[in-house]
Amino acid sequence: MPKYATETIRSVALVGHGAAGKTTLAEALLFKAGAIASQGTVEAGNTVCDFDPLEKSYGHSLNSALTNFAYQGVHVHLIDTPGYPDFSGQAIGALAAVDTAAIVINAQTGIELNTRRMMKWAAARALCRMIVVNKIDAENVDLPALLASLQESFGRECLPINLPAKGRTRVVDCFFTPDGEADFSSVGQAHRALVDQVVEVDEALMEIYLDKGEVSPEQLHAPFEKALREGHLVPVCFVSAKNGAGVTELLDILAKLAPNPAEGNAPPFLKGEGKDAVEFHAEPDPKRHVLAHVFKIVVDPYVGKLGVFRVHQGTVTKESQLLIGDGKRPFKVGHLLTLQGKEYIETDALVPGDIGAVAKVEEIEFDSVLHDSHDEDRIHLRPLEFPIPMQGLAVETKKKGDEQRLFEVLRKLEVEDPCFRVERHPATHETIIRGLGEQHLRCKLEKMAQQYKLEVSTTPPKIPYRETITKKAEGHCRHKKQTGGAGQFGEVYLRIEPLPRGAGFEFVDEVKGGVIPGVFIPAVEKGVRQALDAGIIAGYPAQDLRVIVYDGKSHPVDSKEIAFISAGRKAVIDAVTKAGPIVLEPMVNIEVLTPEAYIGDLASDISSKRGQITGTQPFSSDTSAITGQVPLSELTEYQSRLRSMTGGQGSYTIEFSHYAPVPALIQQQITSQYKAAREEEE
Ligand SMILES: Nc1nc2c(ncn2[C@@H]2O[C@H](COP(=O)(O)OP(=O)(O)OP(=O)(O)O)[C@@H](O)[C@H]2O)c(=O)[nH]1
Ligand SMILES: [Mg+2]
């Protein structure tokens, strides 16, 4: 049986920029709530959340980490997330599991790029948001200026719910019992600003307030939640995770004011696919059918694959029989787990708002929906938007015979990380890993070496060019073979036409009167696909085109599948050759982080590489971010170039943007190389 009710649950993700102090703050909250006996530090490598050996050696978080604790009658699920852009997949995933995003800001450095991003992403998911200004103990902080810049950047709804006091050694509450002296501003003024803001969402209460001049915290509770839900209020609180100032006050805010699962905005689910999908919201009712969403996968060396999920509706117990997505056969939960950093703790039941995990269910994947009735088939969470990884490395095992293991290990890494992908190119025998940045890939390689004892060598991968056409054309092939006994016969007429960029491939059957018998149409399509996948002018898959088969001929005896495959293939090659074929190259969005002194050099370097700069902005107090768009092919040696241009201080991340035609000269080079290679083969 559940140990507590949904109304007592709070789920919170600590998000924000790297080094803001999220992991330290999680540690401080756990300690003050009595969940751990002593407070660890990131420096000593003994925190609950940075438990991975790689996190300890890097000194910052790489994965989201789950914790939970009880505090004054509430049960808090707290997720610590990494702040570095290379690992943002983990932070975005965590947003799908919580009602509240606590955006943690480093008081020393102020608003940073990832602060802005997380504020935006959390708002896009309609989460209740709060801002936690951490490190108020540190030297050289200007908290009044920071508060002003928060309001300037994110709106006047960012209002302090407590203020630093006694020379930043503690904080004073401005909401529940507004009494005391603050280091700056005034407690009374902050209280009034909060109440004014909250009553704006409740007309009846507004009247009472105007009449009597005061309303009680109890009367304010429901409108407070409404204001949070509507983004009409973003409370700001102050803490020092290091010396504990403001940590108890933050626990009180979580317990008394953070929304419970019924008070937050219910996450949007979709029933059905594509245009016909209907949006609906789960009901946080423990008695209804189960709906749970898998927002994280962990491949644990001892426990195996863990699917970590948030329950949105119904109650999951050890006895539950759960279906995965549209799967037909349910699995029995058996062992139901909650997570405390690296520890797994068995539990009997999880109610709406709870976060937990099941182990060793191979079919569970990131983003799976778990449910207990076929009524909930065809249900998905509204998709999360992840950057598409483009930073690539071709990997090869150092030891012969390890190839199979390489695939297995890469698969494990891939299922854990929505921003890490593995591509296999059978034609070139290349296995390519892709991530968001160099550090992201380096981490995966280290994990392969340390955890899986697998050494690989790496090389820059080939560029994934594509082919397409620029105009309509006709294609024809009459395939006829007569060798001794039965012959082969198939004739195909087709048209091809360009489709918008990114549309992919369409095959249309417009054959009339059965001149190509229906049974052979799939063979024609197969031949067409074979030719397009292998590439026609440069050996890269052709895309963004429609093939319409409209005429042909068959023979009652000699027409067979193989004949129509062949005819389809040659007819489409004929058509593409006449359709103004071109080569496309991947364009990526790049973000370069660098000390300000190098901005000029780096920007002109990107421009000289056929790139375009779209902006530069401060990233943190001593780093700037240059954003732009550049062809992937120009970035092959970029890491080492960047290193030498910035004395090792620059880093970058890239994500896929779109495919664009290569310049004519480059197209000529690529196609003539391909031609030469083919002639050599023949
Ligand atoms: N002075 C001071 N230092 C702090 C405080 N909180 C954290 N730090 C230090 O700031 C550094 C970064 O802290 P982390 O907790 O790793 O920061 P994080 O936000 O988890 O960083 P990522 O995992 O990279 O996103 C560490 O050296 C901490 O000791 C604080 O309240 N005051
Ligand atoms: Mg951290």
Side-chain angles (χ1 to χ4, degrees):
M1 271 303 95
K3 297 187 195 82
Y4 45 79
T6 287
E7 289 65 36
T8 66
I9 297 176
R10 310 287 182 266
S11 56
V12 185
L14 299 177
V15 295
H17 204 77
K22 299 176 288 298
T23 303
T24 311
L25 180 60
E27 195 74 9
L29 290 166
L30 285 164
F31 176 62
K32 278 272 158 72
I36 51 177
S38 62
Q39 183 173 340
T41 66
V42 175
E43 284 74 13
N46 59 353
T47 60
V48 172
C49 294
D50 282 359
F51 58 84
D52 186 304
L54 276 179
E55 290 177 323
K56 293 182 191 180
S57 69
Y58 277 66
H60 61 76
S61 309
L62 305 173
N63 299 305
S64 59
L66 282 80
T67 68
N68 59 87
F69 58 86
Y71 178 77
Q72 295 195 345
V74 302
H75 196 89
V76 181
H77 291 285
L78 184 72
I79 308 182
D80 175 34
T81 67
Y84 278 86
D86 286 63
F87 308 100
S88 55
Q90 291 277 328
I92 297 172
L95 294 181
V98 295
D99 297 304
T100 304
I103 294 99
V104 183
I105 296 184
N106 179 344
Q108 285 179 303
T109 47
I111 298 169
E112 302 177 272
L113 195 66
N114 232 17
T115 320
R116 292 183 197 279
R117 279 196 188 136
M118 292 318 303
M119 283 293 282
K120 203 173 77 192
W121 287 340
R125 298 289 308 172
L127 296 182
C128 298
R129 291 172 298 169
M130 61 186 294
I131 291 173
V132 181
V133 176
N134 184 34
K135 306 200 190 183
I136 61 166
D137 63 281
E139 298 290 311
N140 304 325
V141 299
D142 185 348
L143 298 176
L146 176 55
L147 187 57
S149 80
L150 284 173
Q151 288 173 339
E152 193 184 315
S153 300
F154 304 121
R156 55 174 280 274
E157 60 271 24
C158 299
L159 292 171
I161 193 161
N162 56 41
L163 284 166
K166 302 248 170 7
R168 296 187 274 118
T169 57
R170 41 168 308 192
V171 304
V172 49
D173 164 48
C174 305
F175 184 70
F176 304 105
T177 46
D179 186 20
E181 283 288 310
D183 287 348
F184 64 92
S185 181
S186 101
V187 172
Q189 198 185 328
H191 180 75
R192 273 190 301 282
L194 274 172
V195 176
D196 286 352
Q197 189 77 2
V198 170
V199 297
E200 276 180 17
V201 301
D202 184 334
E203 269 181 37
L205 192 66
M206 170 91 97
E207 273 180 32
I208 300 176
Y209 181 56
L210 291 177
D211 213 29
K212 299 201 174 134
E214 190 52 278
V215 281
S216 69
E218 291 72 39
Q219 285 173 302
L220 281 171
H221 184 88
F224 193 100
E225 300 306 316
K226 186 171 181 220
L228 286 180
R229 263 196 313 274
E230 293 179 353
H232 190 68
L233 173 66
V234 179
V236 179
C237 59
F238 293 85
V239 296
S240 163
K242 198 168 196 166
N243 69 17
V247 176
T248 307
E249 288 79 358
L250 176 54
L251 284 170
D252 287 336
I253 292 167
L254 294 182
K256 294 182 189 153
L257 291 175
N260 70 38
E263 290 168 332
N265 284 317
F269 280 92
L270 298 170
K271 183 154 179 84
E273 272 85 33
K275 290 196 300 296
D276 305 329
V278 181
E279 189 165 300
F280 74 101
H281 296 279
E283 299 275 343
D285 175 350
K287 296 201 184 65
R288 294 173 74 117
H289 288 167
V290 168
L291 260 186
H293 174 255
V294 177
F295 65 94
K296 180 177 168 76
I297 297 284
V298 182
V299 182
D300 185 284
Y302 306 106
V303 182
K305 187 176 183 182
L306 278 170
V308 187
F309 56 85
R310 145 106 188 225
V311 182
H312 291 284
Q313 181 177 296
T315 302
V316 180
T317 68
K318 291 198 280 194
E319 309 305 323
S320 295
Q321 300 271 349
L322 295 183
L323 293 152
I324 305 165
D326 296 348
K328 295 275 172 290
R329 273 191 315 135
F331 71 92
K332 184 172 169 204
V333 168
H335 298 281
L336 190 57
L337 307 167
T338 60
L339 282 77
Q340 187 76 308
K342 64 171 186 283
E343 312 280 343
Y344 306 117
I345 299 137
E346 289 237 14
T347 187
D348 295 333
L350 298 173
V351 293
D354 265 333
I355 291 173
V358 287
K360 295 196 175 68
V361 183
E362 284 310 312
E363 295 78 16
I364 293 185
E365 288 179 357
F366 175 78
D367 215 23
S368 292
V369 169
L370 308 179
H371 56 104
D372 60 356
S373 156
H374 284 294
D375 290 356
E376 273 76 39
D377 281 351
R378 302 179 62 229
I379 282 181
H380 309 273
L381 194 68
R382 196 181 75 211
L384 289 151
E385 280 178 26
F386 290 100
I388 301 173
M390 264 330 246
Q391 175 78 9
L393 270 182
V395 293
E396 221 178 319
T397 52
K398 284 192 178 159
K399 248 192 8 228
K400 272 244 162 321
D402 262 354
E403 290 78 9
Q404 188 54 33
R405 241 176 67 73
L406 174 69
F407 289 152
E408 287 165 16
V409 170
L410 288 178
R411 178 74 196 132
K412 286 182 181 162
L413 297 178
E414 198 177 19
V415 298
E416 279 186 321
D417 186 343
C419 293
F420 177 73
R421 289 195 188 159
V422 181
E423 296 167 10
R424 295 181 186 95
H425 298 263
T428 57
H429 301 292
E430 262 190 336
T431 300
I432 296 168
I433 57 173
R434 288 197 193 279
L436 296 178
E438 197 244 358
Q439 202 193 19
H440 192 194
L441 293 183
R442 186 150 38 94
C443 253
K444 301 290 175 197
L445 295 176
E446 282 181 35
K447 188 162 176 173
M448 283 163 78
Q450 287 180 17
Q451 187 171 328
Y452 297 104
K453 310 283 176 255
L454 187 69
E455 297 282 344
V456 295
S457 52
T458 62
T459 42
K462 298 197 176 71
I463 302 299
Y465 291 108
R466 295 285 183 266
E467 298 180 13
T468 194
I469 55 170
T470 53
K471 56 185 186 198
K472 293 183 183 181
E474 298 272 336
H476 167 236
C477 172
R478 184 181 168 92
H479 177 81
K480 193 172 174 187
K481 236 181 191 171
Q482 200 72 51
T483 45
Q488 286 184 13
F489 181 84
E491 183 167 13
V492 170
Y493 285 89
L494 50 75
R495 274 195 305 274
I496 58 172
E497 50 195 48
L499 288 179
R501 203 73 75 226
F505 167 70
E506 273 178 35
F507 181 84
V508 184
D509 169 19
E510 280 185 7
V511 173
K512 305 254 160 37
V515 290
I516 300 177
V519 289
F520 292 127
I521 296 293
V524 176
E525 181 171 355
K526 193 167 168 190
V528 165
R529 279 185 188 268
Q530 276 179 0
L532 295 179
D533 287 347
I536 287 150
I537 54 165
Y540 294 99
Q543 64 184 28
D544 305 340
L545 53 92
R546 179 184 290 132
V547 175
I548 306 140
V549 180
Y550 65 92
D551 202 0
K553 234 184 230 147
S554 67
H555 183 276
V557 181
D558 291 348
S559 277
K560 341 191 139 70
E561 193 192 2
I562 179 110
F564 277 103
I565 293 179
S566 205
R569 192 170 58 228
K570 288 180 197 152
V572 84
I573 293 175
D574 178 37
V576 168
T577 321
K578 295 182 225 156
I582 55 168
V583 175
L584 301 173
E585 64 180 337
M587 302 294 291
V588 295
N589 297 325
I590 186 167
E591 180 178 290
V592 184
L593 304 182
T594 170
E596 206 167 332
Y598 307 112
I599 290 181
D601 287 354
L602 290 173
S604 60
D605 178 62
I606 290 175
S607 304
S608 76
K609 299 289 176 194
R610 301 193 285 128
Q612 263 188 347
I613 304 292
T614 49
T616 55
Q617 52 184 315
F619 179 75
S620 59
S621 57
D622 52 1
T623 311
S624 293
I626 308 174
T627 50
Q629 213 164 63
V630 68
L632 181 68
S633 61
E634 299 288 348
L635 294 177
T636 311
E637 298 291 328
Y638 194 61
Q639 189 60 41
S640 53
R641 212 163 64 237
L642 181 63
R643 212 172 277 148
S644 68
M645 287 172 76
T646 60
Q649 296 181 73
S651 69
Y652 76 102
T653 51
I654 54 177
E655 64 167 340
F656 175 74
S657 170
H658 64 282
Y659 270 99
V662 298
L665 199 65
I666 298 182
Q667 166 147 338
Q668 214 176 12
Q669 279 168 7
I670 297 174
T671 51
S672 55
Q673 270 168 14
Y674 176 65
K675 224 165 139 192
R678 293 238 338 219
E679 276 161 14
E680 211 168 275
E681 269 173 29
E682 278 161 14

